[in-house]
Amino acid sequence: MALVAGLAVLGVSLSFAISVGAIAVPIETVWGIFFDKLGLWSGEPTWSKGRAAIVWEIRFPRALLAIMVGAGLAMVGACLQAVTRNPLADPHLLGISSGGAFGAILALLHTGLFLGLLTVPILAFCGALLATLLVLMVSRWAGAMSADRLVLTGVAISFVIMACANILIFLGDPKATHTVVFWMLGGLGLAQWSHLIYPLAVLMPCGLWLWLQASKLNAMTIGDETASTLGIAVGRFRLTVFVVSALITGVMVAFSGMIGFVGLMVPHVVRLIVGGDYRRVLPVSALFGGIFLTWADIGARTIMAPEDMPIGILTGFVGGLFFILLLRRK
């Protein structure tokens, strides 16, 4: 029931996201342009070429990217909360997003696009994976493998990585450094149809794999000993989930910048609705994550219109308040 309702809300959210902006476009016109581009519109177009370009070339890719990024980050957050048994875990707090941003900044300011459009996502994934491994290594070295101290380790590693990223910005070409503000603050304004294939190609197989591991994730939420008695190789499975999470996060960061707290908030809201079974938590989290980030993008485009506020500012503000509420509820 929650899934069906979520799909309906997602459709309404997508329509509204494409409709609103500096130039408002009626929703019927939005879908008329959509079907016309697919060759399914039989009547004469009642819209100008300018509006068609705004809807099809700018707003549709942006809205679809918001859905994919929100879905990916929400699923990652839900899985990290399971394997760490920490309700405060998310890719932003564990330093994974910072690692992805470091890789993207390295590609943009220093290495160049030596692999074409794949350069930024690949280096972002490598940075996210490096951050993940650093968190695990430092936690093991410091004897901080407990759920609460793992998050503290992630926060510390995140600060270190962001300091390294700031060094890259300082040493980079001053004329090009303004481009990295996009990755530091988060935004969806650079979305293009040709770019959407990359986050989609990562989200679909990785998201499906995570969903197929739902029974193991359920066991991990109870404890390592229980999971081990069920035949789960706890250490290997946790590491695999971290790597898959780093892949999803790195690619999403490469195209949207650092967007925090989506993975923290959405899974908690979803559990209140569908319970704790990860067979339901993961798909509904993906759905609600897409809805949340779509509306966050709408807010970012309208609060300071016609200026486009970085979406990371809005999610950080809302997520910070949510984080405080979680602490209050212990």
Side-chain angles (χ1 to χ4, degrees), residues 2-3 33 52 76 78 89 128 131 137 141 145 149 155 168 225 234 236 243 245 259 267 269-270 276 291-292:
L3 199 61
I33 294 171
V76 167
M137 290 170 57
W141 173 76
M145 293 303 291
R149 298 188 71 187
V155 172
L168 291 181
E225 292 183 1
V234 173
R236 183 186 305 170
V243 171
S245 299
I259 298 177
V269 175
V270 168
I291 293 171
F292 170 75

Side-chain angles (χ1 to χ4, degrees), residues 231-316:
I232 299 173
V234 173
R236 183 186 305 170
F237 179 67
R238 180 179 286 117
L239 180 60
T240 305
V241 171
F242 269 117
V243 171
V244 173
S245 299
L247 177 57
I248 295 175
T249 304
V251 173
M252 297 307 163
V253 166
F255 291 98
S256 68
M258 290 180 61
I259 298 177
F261 294 107
V262 176
L264 173 67
M265 293 184 290
V266 174
H268 287 287
V269 175
V270 168
R271 290 189 194 99
L272 292 174
I273 299 173
V274 302
D277 188 346
Y278 270 73
R279 288 172 296 181
R280 296 190 297 270
V281 168
L282 286 178
V284 178
S285 290
L287 192 58
F288 279 40
I291 293 171
F292 170 75
L293 203 59
T294 298
W295 281 99
D297 184 49
I298 292 171
R301 288 190 284 124
T302 56
I303 289 176
M304 298 180 64
E307 295 294 328
D308 195 351
M309 178 193 296
I311 193 172
I313 295 175
L314 193 58
T315 59

Side-chain angles (χ1 to χ4, degrees), residues 11-12 14-20 24-34 55:
V12 173
L14 178 63
S15 301
F16 193 73
I18 300 170
S19 175
V20 301
V25 180
I27 292 179
E28 59 270 19
T29 302
V30 167
W31 292 106
I33 294 171
F34 174 77
V55 168

Side-chain angles (χ1 to χ4, degrees), residues 168-206:
L168 291 181
I169 296 172
F170 179 74
L171 297 176
D173 182 358
K175 296 180 181 178
T177 53
H178 71 279
T179 60
V180 304
V181 173
F182 169 78
W183 273 267
M184 301 293 285
L185 300 179
L188 303 168
L190 300 181
Q192 299 178 28
W193 282 110
S194 59
H195 294 171
L196 295 184
I197 185 62
Y198 301 112
L200 182 64
V202 169
L203 179 61
M204 294 300 290
C206 291

